[in-house]
Amino acid sequence: MKLSPGNGVRGLLPDGDRAEDRINAFKTKTEGNIMKLKKVMALTMAGAMAATTLTACGSSSSTTETTKAAETTAAAAADTTAAAAADNGSSDAETVLQVAFENSISEPVGQGWEKAQEIIKEKSGGKMAIEIYPDSQLGDKSSLIDSMLLGENVCTLADGAFYADYGVPDFGIVFGPFLFDSWEQVWKLVDSDWYKEQCGKLEEKGLKIIASNWIYGERHTLTNVPVNTVDDLKGLKIRVPSNEIQSKGFDVLGATSTGMALGDVYQALQTKTIDGAENPLATLYGRKLHEVAKYLILDGHVKNFTTWVVSADWFNSLPEEQQTWLLETAEEAGEYNNEVQQAADAEYLQKMKDEGVTVVEPSEEVLAGFKEKAQPFYEMGADFGWSDGLYDTVKKAMGAE
């Protein structure tokens, strides 16, 4: 299985000729250090930025002094990074997993992985360790997935909508708008044979899901103009993650979906490049998006459980004992995340209200309007490459037939 040049999202092609094999062998060899280079570049940039500030504050500083300042700052940053790694035991561990994500460390998912650091250290007696890289420190989701396909020891959160773009199209339906009526239906689906089948297909593509029990939250819509019913979304440019499922899932509601990296959303809202964004409360508040968009409707259009994924090749290279430790750790940390998530939701909502956000809690009648508008999405299976009768299959598997 090899990566198609220039196609980071749909990067899976069947084995080809020998020339391609040589190219991929070269890519694997040279790209094996991608993650390390990203860290070095980040440290260097931080040093350069600090040095520039020093120069601006003192016009007599010479180029040599600026360079030395940059080197000193970068070295200090490197020392800090090394110290942090030592704190969680990664410097002495036999096996290290680098967990990277777009969210801030203060969000429930960040706290969940801090808990995972403790759990895996205890389970493995220090043989395994986890390093955490929040705020896209190691790159965006697509680049992390591509690194996994090269066998890197990285992990990130991803969802069915994203996996649909990686060759398992049926997985995308779990991110369809208003598919689930309750979290009980979510967990019933996760425990179903249908779900296990999708995980197996994904593993054949080179990606191994290590946990599916993490609540990311119910996704709500934050806008810079009032939205009281589904009709108010008409024509609004709403940021969604860059995948086809979520894009069309919002388009059917009447909005104009706009794919964009999470880190770019604040400025886009501030400059009115977009009219709104959707995400769970923890993310909306954690990214401070409520500072530049003051209207929130609690539509809960997706009950977003998230999964954590690693390289199948890397996972299979681990001793069986370490595989078990990792799976148990991810599952237990997910339970901790869910406790934090549930407690945090009410707190985030109150904070947003206190900071000037107008919150709409839609009636059952209004929600029924959203759900009715969403139904054409499930008639677009041919566009997504879904199996025949997928919607009915999934509804049955989650106990909602």
Side-chain angles (χ1 to χ4, degrees):
M1 199 68 69
K2 297 187 290 297
L3 293 174
S4 174
N7 193 347
V9 175
R10 302 177 191 275
L12 299 170
L13 294 176
D15 288 340
D17 59 24
R18 294 179 181 177
E20 289 184 349
D21 289 341
R22 290 196 295 271
I23 290 171
N24 281 320
F26 175 76
K27 283 180 67 180
T28 301
K29 188 174 183 180
T30 56
E31 292 181 0
N33 292 318
I34 285 174
M35 309 308 291
K36 294 178 183 177
L37 287 172
K38 284 178 180 174
K39 293 181 213 174
V40 172
M41 288 172 67
L43 292 171
T44 303
M45 287 174 67
M49 289 172 67
T52 300
T53 302
L54 290 171
T55 304
C57 293
S59 58
S60 62
S61 297
S62 66
T63 303
T64 301
E65 291 172 334
T66 300
T67 302
K68 287 181 178 179
E71 291 173 348
T72 301
T73 306
D79 289 343
T80 300
T81 301
D87 284 344
N88 63 52
S90 63
S91 58
D92 298 322
E94 296 175 5
T95 302
V96 176
L97 179 63
Q98 299 174 331
V99 178
F101 42 87
E102 295 176 310
N103 308 73
S104 115
I105 195 67
S106 65
E107 292 180 45
V109 292
Q111 295 178 54
W113 278 106
E114 286 181 322
K115 185 68 173 179
Q117 287 180 319
E118 302 172 10
I119 295 171
I120 204 161
K121 184 175 182 180
E122 181 178 348
K123 284 183 179 293
S124 70
K127 292 181 180 179
M128 297 186 75
I130 291 168
E131 294 177 352
I132 306 172
Y133 297 92
D135 297 311
S136 302
Q137 291 179 33
L138 297 187
D140 62 16
K141 191 173 300 186
S142 292
S143 64
L144 289 167
I145 296 287
D146 287 345
S147 295
M148 291 175 204
L149 295 173
L150 293 169
E152 296 266 358
N153 60 322
V154 293
C155 174
T156 196
L157 81 168
D159 305 293
F162 204 80
Y163 298 142
D165 284 343
Y166 273 84
V168 189
D170 284 0
F171 231 147
I173 197 172
V174 302
F175 238 88
F178 301 99
L179 177 67
F180 300 107
D181 292 323
S182 67
W183 282 104
E184 287 74 17
Q185 290 181 350
V186 173
W187 306 133
K188 188 172 179 64
L189 183 66
V190 168
D191 288 337
S192 71
D193 291 339
W194 176 86
Y195 190 85
K196 293 180 177 65
E197 181 183 353
Q198 305 314 304
C199 291
K201 290 179 179 179
L202 188 66
E203 191 162 353
E204 291 173 2
K205 303 294 184 182
L207 300 173
K208 169 72 176 180
I209 291 177
I210 60 172
S212 296
N213 69 320
W214 291 55
I215 292 178
Y216 194 66
E218 295 198 22
R219 298 180 81 94
H220 304 299
T221 307
L222 183 72
T223 53
N224 53 27
V225 294
V227 173
N228 295 297
T229 71
V230 68
D231 293 335
D232 294 330
L233 285 174
K234 186 175 181 179
L236 296 186
K237 291 178 287 185
I238 305 296
R239 179 270 173 183
V240 298
S242 300
N243 63 69
E244 187 179 24
I245 292 288
Q246 285 174 276
S247 293
K248 291 190 175 181
F250 243 84
D251 289 342
V252 297
L253 298 178
T256 300
S257 62
T258 304
M260 182 182 297
L262 187 58
D264 298 333
V265 177
Y266 187 99
Q267 184 176 9
L269 283 169
Q270 190 174 43
T271 59
K272 303 296 192 291
T273 302
I274 57 175
D275 302 305
E278 59 79 52
N279 241 306
L281 295 178
T283 303
L284 295 174
Y285 188 84
R287 306 300 298 194
K288 301 186 183 300
L289 302 185
H290 65 291
E291 293 180 349
V292 286
K294 291 296 186 180
Y295 299 93
L296 174 69
I297 182 166
L298 301 175
D299 54 2
H301 50 274
V302 171
K303 293 192 185 306
N304 188 178
F305 71 98
T306 199
T307 68
W308 292 92
V309 63
V310 299
S311 163
D313 286 344
W314 175 80
F315 181 85
N316 292 330
S317 73
L318 299 177
E320 185 175 345
E321 186 177 43
Q322 291 192 7
Q323 291 180 3
T324 300
W325 289 335
L326 180 57
L327 293 174
E328 290 178 350
T329 294
E331 187 85 7
E332 291 172 24
E335 294 171 2
Y336 177 80
N337 163 84
N338 297 350
E339 294 175 5
V340 174
Q341 181 75 51
Q342 291 171 356
D345 259 4
E347 181 182 352
Y348 287 130
L349 184 59
Q350 188 58 52
K351 284 182 176 180
M352 292 175 83
K353 290 178 179 178
D354 293 343
E355 294 173 33
V357 175
T358 298
V359 177
V360 174
E361 299 186 32
S363 65
E364 287 300 319
E365 182 181 358
V366 169
L367 286 176
F370 273 91
K371 293 176 182 179
E372 182 180 356
K373 200 75 176 263
Q375 276 307 300
F377 173 85
Y378 297 102
E379 299 169 6
M380 302 168 68
D383 295 343
F384 303 132
W386 287 352
S387 302
D388 291 340
L390 178 63
Y391 180 69
D392 292 334
T393 299
V394 169
K395 293 293 278 188
K396 182 178 181 180
M398 68 191 212
E401 55 182 329

